[in-house]
Amino acid sequence: MYEIKIRTEIFHISLSVMKIAHILNPFNASKGSEHHVAQQITYESMQRARNYAKESTGLRIELHASCFEEDVTSVPDFFDKTSILQRSVCDINSSCTEKKLPLLSDILDHGFNDESVDYLVYTNVDIAVLPYFYACLDDIAATGIDAAVINRRRIDESYLRSESTNLRYADSGLYHSGNDCFLIHRSVYEKMNLADVCIGIPHVGNTLFYNLLAHSANFKLFGNLHLTQHIGYDLVRNWGNHQYLNHNKLLFKSAAKQLTPAIDIAKFPGSHRWFCSRHFRWLMNPTIHYPSIFKHDIKHLFKKRIKPKKPGMSGFWGRYYERLQDKVRLD
């Protein structure tokens, strides 16, 4: 009993040293609109998760907002810091004039302006977090991971009109391959180059994804953790103005070509699968710049890959019963 007590005290002392800042980009949305309701759900979830982390671990969590001056009124009072963005993609690309969209690097720079921040969390403003989110990130960081992407779970749109918060948290939803939740250690961010990609348009998460892969010592992609939620099952949508899409697309392609050679192929997500399987997945996944990873994989074709252990029962009969259970489930 005495030994357990001592270890617990040491554990809490180490936790108190680390500081995590969660930054996002709020914007003024019409009251009652889907965007407005989704943001309010996100804010409430962040506050609840911070309270849980503080009570259960003593972990230091700060909530940061980085937005344009006209959007400051949308930032909740319980946020610790609000930074004003001074430029947008319109200042960088003369063909982008329809909408004022922030640059990702400006947002993240504001997060790391506080030199006491060890890890920065960046999420889209419509991504709600689970109550144990920050406590779980602390456990992830304790394993030595210095950069991570956590894929969201998609849940039904009815939650936009529901007050069943606990039921929403319990809903594990459906898988989504998109990148919209990032954990970044300061040492990784200091090496990154995000160019001038803007948020709110595809390929912004892809550019950040490649930077994390190339510059981290221990990157991890979490595809099945029940830590974040997005309300709505949509997988494809019309993003509008193609000038904005082309802006990010060109920057992403350039970043992928430049960064891919620096990525350890054994750590690239999906590289452990057999040749045809991994290349089909890479080709079909919009996160991946396939020409670059194809050349990189061929160059390191015989390098040993690390195969993760699959969840579930092992052995022939174990795998049989796992498949059978999936076939006979009633929901």
Side-chain angles (χ1 to χ4, degrees):
M1 180 68 70
Y2 180 75
E3 183 180 6
I4 294 175
K5 182 179 180 181
I6 294 297
R7 288 180 179 177
T8 302
E9 289 175 353
I10 294 175
F11 183 61
H12 280 290
I13 289 173
S14 66
L15 276 179
S16 65
V17 175
M18 192 171 75
K19 181 177 179 180
I20 298 177
H22 187 170
I23 192 166
L24 43 71
N25 171 242
F27 65 94
N28 275 324
S30 301
K31 192 170 182 179
S33 67
E34 178 180 333
H35 292 302
H36 178 264
V37 175
Q39 283 191 102
Q40 299 309 309
I41 290 174
T42 296
Y43 299 151
E44 186 274 338
S45 72
M46 293 169 67
Q47 185 180 36
R48 183 177 293 203
R50 178 170 65 173
N51 291 341
Y52 176 88
K54 182 178 180 179
E55 294 170 4
S56 62
T57 68
L59 185 64
R60 291 190 299 164
I61 303 294
E62 283 195 354
L63 306 182
H64 292 196
S66 183
C67 60
F68 296 121
E69 189 168 4
E70 59 266 28
D71 296 314
V72 169
T73 55
S74 65
V75 180
D77 294 337
F78 57 82
F79 270 51
D80 301 289
K81 186 179 295 185
T82 300
S83 303
I84 306 300
L85 296 170
Q86 301 298 329
R87 60 176 186 162
S88 73
V89 68
C90 302
D91 300 310
I92 304 300
N93 189 333
S94 59
S95 66
C96 298
T97 58
E98 183 179 309
K99 194 173 183 180
K100 190 177 176 183
L101 295 178
L103 302 179
L104 178 61
S105 59
D106 288 353
I107 295 172
L108 300 187
D109 281 346
H110 282 305
F112 276 120
N113 276 345
D114 182 349
E115 295 184 357
S116 65
V117 171
D118 300 294
Y119 280 88
L120 186 69
V121 179
Y122 171 72
T123 60
N124 292 350
V125 75
D126 58 354
I127 299 299
V129 302
L130 275 294
Y132 46 85
F133 176 72
Y134 300 120
C136 188
L137 292 187
D138 181 51
D139 290 343
I140 289 173
T143 67
I145 289 175
D146 55 357
V149 172
I150 300 169
N151 289 350
R152 71 186 187 226
R153 308 295 297 184
R154 296 174 291 132
I155 58 177
D156 195 82
E157 289 185 4
S158 61
Y159 287 111
L160 287 171
R161 302 175 295 277
S162 172
E163 296 184 1
S164 302
T165 303
N166 293 322
L167 186 60
R168 171 169 55 82
Y169 284 147
D171 193 336
S172 60
L174 300 177
Y175 171 79
H176 189 278
S177 61
N179 303 322
D180 43 35
C181 176
F182 304 87
L183 176 67
I184 312 166
H185 190 269
R186 175 179 292 277
S187 62
V188 177
Y189 188 68
E190 290 171 350
K191 306 172 189 175
M192 288 165 47
N193 180 10
L194 296 172
D196 293 318
V197 294
C198 62
I199 70 170
I201 293 292
H203 302 299
V204 58
N206 301 4
T207 307
L208 182 50
F209 175 83
Y210 267 78
N211 270 272
L212 298 185
L213 271 171
H215 298 304
S216 64
N218 193 8
F219 172 85
K220 179 73 174 179
L221 170 64
F222 294 98
N224 290 310
L225 290 185
H226 186 200
L227 285 179
T228 65
Q229 296 178 320
H230 174 265
I231 298 179
Y233 290 128
D234 55 298
L235 291 170
V236 180
R237 65 169 62 181
N238 180 11
W239 290 95
N241 195 313
H242 70 276
Q243 278 88 359
Y244 287 81
L245 184 59
N246 287 339
H247 172 84
N248 272 2
K249 189 175 183 179
L250 291 174
L251 290 174
F252 164 59
K253 284 184 176 181
S254 175
K257 291 177 181 178
Q258 178 184 354
L259 295 172
T260 298
I263 298 173
D264 183 352
I265 192 63
K267 297 180 180 179
F268 198 91
S271 66
H272 64 281
R273 299 180 181 275
W274 63 286
F275 186 86
C276 290
S277 175
R278 66 177 180 261
H279 279 274
F280 174 77
R281 292 167 187 268
W282 289 339
L283 178 63
M284 298 303 293
N285 192 313
T287 300
I288 310 301
H289 183 251
Y290 184 69
S292 296
I293 194 59
F294 175 80
K295 295 177 184 178
H296 193 51
D297 189 46
I298 295 299
K299 186 176 180 180
H300 300 88
L301 193 59
F302 298 104
K303 183 170 184 177
K304 186 178 180 181
R305 318 296 171 94
I306 302 172
K307 188 174 182 179
K309 184 180 179 181
K310 288 186 177 181
M313 298 174 64
S314 59
F316 173 81
W317 287 108
R319 292 191 295 271
Y320 168 77
Y321 286 124
E322 290 288 355
R323 292 192 185 98
L324 182 62
Q325 177 166 264
D326 186 59
K327 298 296 183 183
V328 301
R329 60 183 294 177
L330 299 178
D331 59 336

